[in-house]
Amino acid sequence: MGKTTLSACLALGLAQGRDVLAVDLDPQNALRLHLGVAASEIDGACRATLEERNWQTAVYKGGNGRPSVLPYGNINETDRDALEVHLSGNPNWLVNGLRSLGLGPKGVVVIDTPPGPSLYQQQALRAATFTLVVVHADAASYATIASMETILERYCNARPGFGGSAYLLNNVSSASALSRDVVRVVRSELGDRVIPVVVHQDESVKEAMAFDQPVLSYAPHGEATRDIKQVVRWFDQNLPAMHRIADARGA
Amino acid sequence: MNVRRIRYARLQMRMLGRRKGFVFAVNAVRELAGWRGWQNPLIQLAVLAVALPVMWMVVTIKLTAWQQLALVVLSFGSALFFRMLPGRYVTQVLIVLSAVASTRYLYWRLTETISFDTWLSGLFGSLLFIAEAYAWIVLVFGYFQTAWPLERKPVPMDPDVSKWPSIDVLIPTYNEPLKVVRTTVLAAMAMDWPRDRLRIYICDDGKREEFRQFAEEAGVGYLTRSTKKHAKAGNLNAALTKIMGEYVAIFDCDHIPTRTFLQVTMGWFGKDAKLAMVQTPHHFFSPDPFEKNLGTFKKVPNEGELFYGLVQDGNDLWNATFFCGSCAVIKRSALDDVGGVATETVTEDAHTALKLHRKGYSTAFLAIPQAAGFATESLGSHVGQRIRWARGMAQIFRVDNPFLGKGLTFAQRMCYANAMLHFFYGLPRLIFLTAPLAFLLLGSEVIQATALSIALYALPHLLHANLTNSRMQGEFRHSFWAEVYESVLAWYILRPTMVAFINPKFGKFNVTAKGGLNETLFFDWGIAKPYIILMGLSLLGFAAGVFRLVWQEAPDVDTILLNLIWTAYNLMMLGASIAVANEARQVRQSPRVQMKMDAALRLPNGRSYACSTSDYSDGGVGLAMSAPIEIATGTWVKLALTRGMEEYEFDAKVTMNRGTNLGLQFGPMSIQQSIDFVQCTFARADSWVVWGDKRKPDKPWQSFKEVAWMGLSGFKVMVALLIGSWRERKERFQAQFNLTNVRAALDERQARLRAFAASQREGGKSAS
């Protein structure tokens, strides 16, 4: 499944029993569609920034097991250029924006970024307590791990309030020898920084998208659903430890 | 253990509410038991010097009926009290109480109840006494043997892998199908051990080309020999001449090892230089005939569990763990030192261990199932296997008696002797099953005492023994089940043990047949015959007793009642024995192992379903889906199984789709795929460890009801069979009758025809 789909699923999964805010930093602005925000709703964090509104006004409220959503927002090319100039001048744009939302101490924010290094990624890495790197089980994605490590080193590892990072292998297909090899190599190189659960390739994910439903409810008995649930369980078990580490480093 | 703790906690809470003094007493006893002074040999001697004479006095003192009753109430009452407390010291107290009660009973029997007034009562009386003396020996030796199970834990391996020794794995086979041996070989190949120091050999006494080819294909060694002398022992010894590893691991060809077997067992060799052998339990994933025919699989501990759960662990404390022929590792130098595997008896395993112990080597037992296999498939083959063990142990008792000869400690002699004596239960068990008949049918009093005094002496002996054994063995054998197991086998092991005892060289060797198939439900008349006869006699005796009770003038009501109760108990055991002979049907040839593990089912359309396995065999798996799925039988799918972090995919065909249950049959697999599959299933490290978790603990009364129920079902089987065979006979008779009628009619017609022809001829003649 795609990274955005995965973020949506994670946000949904984590929202069972806690307050979750899903933040979309990908200009494609697709995360909201996975989380039940209508396509006609165009507001988002970037529009709010450009219009100098409080972000609060751009949040689509969740609750009842559904996460709140802060979309990227529909903006035109010119506006995006302006925004990106603004971002490069304000490295703590996201940190401050999130702070202005006044989230509870037990809330979780899931931030989805566009693939590859970008201004958005930098913003997210500066704000994150925890970084989940999603790696497709193929050669190209495997090759990006080294550069990802450098980026993590630069923005996260030494930063106060950072709780750690982990890798999640995605789109694993055990029918493919290459995919199996990538899984083995990544595990042997990164050891326990790889989440012990992998997300398998599953046709029902694409079907779920076509039916405009989250895969968790579209194919409740699918393999991908079980995988996601296990990833969520991993988070349930590991979040306290991440917070402890983050607190120890001081915010 | 847990149940006891919970019971104790509950008791404490209940008592706390009422009497603080009780809790104080309990704590005082515990404090006393924990006192360090007990470790001092002088104090130990002093205690013994006081305790032994006191015990002797309790055993021998003559008491009136009322005094005896008071003693019983005191002793059994304190047993009931101590039973509520947890801990092993308390178990020792119960053992002492039980041993004293039983010894007192036996002493009383010997000194006051045997009479030779008539030769008949003298004969029956002495026979019964011998049986009881035997039971007493086995009981007391058993207490000694299992008083303090060692519960040895594995020792981790040296982190420096380069120091790990080389190991040869021997898999002896004679006539078992390749299908069975194959899985074991594949699992052995997958054991976690440095590849350059692990060699696997199929030792084929059947010299089969099919096996040679498989060995070559799989890349394992294939060994044969020119003779078949000494069966398995000879086969192993022949193999030993061709291999040179520092250790030998031996697996029967149907005992599939888990991947962790070597790493779990080998650690101890690094710690104990005198260690010659490490044995692990024989675990069975298919039900044995008892479990199958009585429906007790995974509910009631089976016959073998007492041995591997408790007896071997108890032996381990005394450094007397036996080699059991399979699922064990032996140090090669030690094995060579005793001249290889022993060939003098048909239980080469136990005898080899005895020789090792005589030479001063030590052995170890790890109660962690690290291999599993097929149980015997039919009652016939089960009995056959037990006959072999019984014969072999009797042989060792004769040719290499553990009480005689050098090199053994006192405790080792006790453990070996008990293991061997244990197999002589054939005669005593049959005596117990027939003793009350001597009175009911022949009017001969086998115990010269009033029913009341018998009750006052025998009951505490039986109650104490049951209570103590339930506490010690409950996890591994439920109350009253030993009687069921022994009753079934008694008749069959009687002769071989006696024959071997008289002449150890006599008697044939029989290999246990496995992998067979009972195609139909059938009743094993051959096995059941002695029990049917005994049952008939017991019923007759029961009827005679009732008759005397009702119609005889001034009957000895107490004695008749006592014998009637005894007979009723025997009938229950006989009924259960007959129920076992009623063989249940087996549907599949490959036994299915019930095991739940995560799996994924991948369909040709790309969809993938999360599911779990419900069972597996070497040919397929059963899946439990969380919701029914639409898929036609015959569709090819992919099944993903995991082992640790690794995931493997197998091609399989859907053979059954019913509700949320799906049956899959595998397509052809390469050797590597087969290894992968065995790794994901049979060879998993955790496969057999949690096996008995769902079982209910032993509750004597509950267990009694279960056995009584089994006994009743035996009667039902008997009645159904009798009606069935009567009907069958009637039909056969009728058919025969009809046939004779037809034949008669035919004969009549032919006769008429002939007469007609004759008359025609006559007519012709006369006409011409």
Side-chain angles (χ1 to χ4, degrees), chain B residues 121-136:
Chain B
S121 63
L123 175 73
F124 287 132
S126 347
L127 275 177
L128 183 62
F129 179 77
I130 291 170
E132 286 181 304
Y134 166 85
W136 179 86

Side-chain angles (χ1 to χ4, degrees), chain B residues 590-642:
Chain B
S590 307
R592 304 238 131 190
V593 181
Q594 284 167 18
M595 183 174 282
K596 192 176 172 231
M597 54 187 172
D598 277 350
L601 181 72
R602 300 191 179 132
L603 270 40
N605 65 11
R607 278 207 199 181
S608 188
Y609 291 91
C611 54
S612 57
T613 60
S614 49
D615 59 61
Y616 64 81
S617 72
D618 53 3
V621 293
L623 294 180
M625 313 297 295
S626 25
I629 64 165
E630 263 180 52
I631 184 166
T633 52
T635 315
W636 282 93
V637 295
K638 285 180 190 302
L639 174 77
L641 295 174
T642 53

Side-chain angles (χ1 to χ4, degrees), chain B residues 115-404:
Chain B
S115 133
F116 289 89
D117 290 348
T118 67
W119 68 270
L120 205 62
S121 63
L123 175 73
F124 287 132
S126 347
L127 275 177
L128 183 62
F129 179 77
I130 291 170
E132 286 181 304
Y134 166 85
W136 179 86
I137 292 174
V138 170
L139 180 79
V140 174
F141 278 31
Y143 283 154
F144 177 82
Q145 195 174 21
T146 58
W148 203 280
L150 187 58
E151 293 181 358
R152 193 189 284 260
K153 299 280 170 290
V155 166
M157 294 295 300
D158 191 325
D160 181 2
V161 178
S162 68
K163 285 185 190 155
W164 294 11
S166 58
I167 299 174
D168 294 314
V169 179
L170 297 184
I171 300 168
T173 168
Y174 169 56
N175 60 359
E176 300 82 359
L178 179 59
K179 211 163 115 53
V180 171
V181 183
R182 198 181 136 92
T183 313
T184 306
V185 173
L186 296 174
M189 290 170 68
M191 286 193 290
D192 296 328
W193 200 256
R195 291 294 118 201
D196 57 323
R197 269 159 282 162
L198 181 66
R199 285 289 292 153
I200 289 134
Y201 297 92
I202 304 176
C203 309
D204 184 16
D205 255 6
K207 285 193 241 168
R208 288 158 291 182
E209 174 58 21
E210 193 191 13
F211 276 60
R212 197 197 55 74
Q213 273 177 12
F214 166 68
E216 193 178 324
E217 200 187 337
V220 301
Y222 178 76
L223 304 174
T224 56
R225 57 182 178 140
S226 49
T227 64
K228 279 180 189 165
K229 217 176 158 205
H230 297 314
K232 183 178 160 190
N235 191 357
L236 292 173
N237 284 335
L240 287 176
T241 61
K242 295 170 195 161
I243 58 176
M244 45 225 309
E246 294 161 73
Y247 290 86
V248 186
I250 297 169
F251 293 99
D252 276 354
C253 66
D254 57 354
H255 283 157
I256 305 165
T258 63
R259 56 183 299 201
T260 46
F261 176 87
L262 290 174
Q263 294 205 17
V264 166
T265 50
M266 289 300 294
W268 271 102
F269 286 105
K271 208 172 170 182
D272 178 358
K274 282 306 251 173
L275 188 62
M277 190 222 46
V278 175
Q279 176 71 50
T280 66
H282 290 184
H283 178 83
F284 297 103
F285 49 65
S286 62
D288 70 20
F290 285 93
E291 296 174 300
K292 196 172 56 190
N293 300 343
L294 299 178
T296 57
F297 190 43
K298 289 194 182 185
K299 290 183 209 142
V300 176
N302 66 36
E303 198 194 348
E305 266 173 76
L306 180 67
F307 183 72
Y308 289 109
L310 184 67
V311 174
Q312 280 280 58
D313 222 352
N315 282 340
D316 204 12
L317 176 80
W318 305 115
N319 184 23
T321 300
F322 312 145
F323 172 39
C324 301
S326 176
C327 313
V329 192
I330 309 182
K331 194 188 248 175
R332 179 67 195 273
S333 58
L335 190 57
D336 289 343
D337 194 17
V338 296
V341 179
T343 54
E344 296 92 327
T345 62
V346 294
T347 42
E348 69 285 343
D349 36 22
H351 197 189
T352 308
L354 180 63
K355 287 181 168 187
L356 287 169
H357 284 132
R358 282 194 193 277
K359 283 243 177 182
Y361 290 103
S362 54
T363 59
F365 178 70
L366 283 169
I368 311 165
Q370 287 294 304
F374 301 88
T376 44
E377 297 256 317
S378 69
L379 186 59
S381 56
H382 189 85
V383 169
Q385 187 190 52
R386 300 304 138 114
I387 288 176
R388 178 170 77 80
W389 293 355
R391 172 184 293 144
M393 293 308 249
Q395 282 177 324
I396 303 177
F397 197 73
R398 268 298 306 279
V399 302
D400 197 1
N401 192 302
F403 282 126
L404 311 171

Side-chain angles (χ1 to χ4, degrees), chain A residues 50-251:
Chain A
L50 291 170
E51 291 166 10
E52 298 185 356
R53 274 189 285 124
N54 187 315
W55 282 14
Q56 200 75 58
T57 57
V59 172
Y60 294 87
K61 274 279 167 216
N64 246 349
R66 297 188 72 83
S68 301
V69 186
L70 177 59
Y72 182 86
N74 271 12
I75 52 175
N76 59 34
E77 291 295 298
T78 339
D79 286 348
R80 198 170 75 232
D81 288 343
L83 179 81
E84 289 180 359
V85 170
H86 178 76
L87 292 194
S88 55
N90 293 283
N92 285 328
W93 166 74
L94 183 64
V95 177
N96 296 332
L98 289 176
R99 219 164 258 160
S100 75
L101 291 176
L103 298 165
K106 284 193 177 163
V108 173
V109 182
V110 177
I111 310 170
D112 181 34
T113 65
S118 65
L119 284 169
Y120 303 104
Q121 193 189 50
Q122 287 171 19
Q123 292 280 349
L125 289 176
R126 281 200 187 94
T129 314
F130 177 79
T131 315
L132 181 69
V133 187
V134 181
V135 183
H136 279 225
D138 59 37
S141 297
Y142 167 64
T144 63
I145 289 181
S147 64
M148 197 59 219
E149 284 288 275
T150 331
I151 291 169
L152 284 176
E153 195 55 46
R154 171 153 180 209
Y155 293 100
C156 299
N157 291 353
R159 178 165 58 77
F162 184 67
S165 59
Y167 284 77
L168 175 63
L169 287 154
N170 187 14
N171 278 344
V172 173
S173 150
S174 24
S176 139
L178 180 67
S179 169
R180 279 207 305 267
D181 285 344
V182 170
V183 171
R184 272 184 212 138
V185 170
V186 171
R187 277 195 184 132
S188 71
E189 279 180 15
L190 298 170
D192 58 5
R193 285 183 60 213
V194 185
I195 294 185
V197 188
V198 300
V199 179
H200 290 90
Q201 213 163 41
D202 186 350
E203 197 68 13
S204 50
V205 174
K206 290 179 202 160
E207 289 172 20
M209 254 184 280
F211 284 93
D212 198 14
Q213 273 190 39
V215 65
L216 297 185
S217 53
Y218 172 75
H221 310 298
E223 196 180 5
T225 304
R226 175 169 70 187
D227 296 339
I228 295 288
K229 283 184 179 160
Q230 284 174 341
V231 174
V232 170
R233 202 174 310 142
W234 184 88
F235 268 100
D236 285 341
Q237 284 161 2
N238 288 278
L239 274 176
M242 293 171 200
H243 280 298
R244 265 199 307 280
I245 295 171
D247 290 347
R249 288 192 186 176

Side-chain angles (χ1 to χ4, degrees), chain B residues 58-106:
Chain B
V58 176
V59 166
T60 56
I61 195 167
K62 284 200 180 197
L63 297 175
T64 64
W66 283 109
Q67 289 169 328
Q68 169 68 12
L69 182 66
L71 178 69
V72 171
V73 169
L74 188 70
S75 121
F76 197 64
S78 47
L80 284 176
F81 166 77
F82 278 115
R83 187 172 95 108
M84 295 187 285
L85 312 181
R88 282 204 176 158
Y89 286 106
V90 176
T91 308
Q92 313 304 311
V93 173
L94 288 175
I95 288 177
V96 170
L97 287 174
S98 168
V100 168
S102 293
T103 315
R104 177 164 174 78
Y105 169 70
L106 203 71

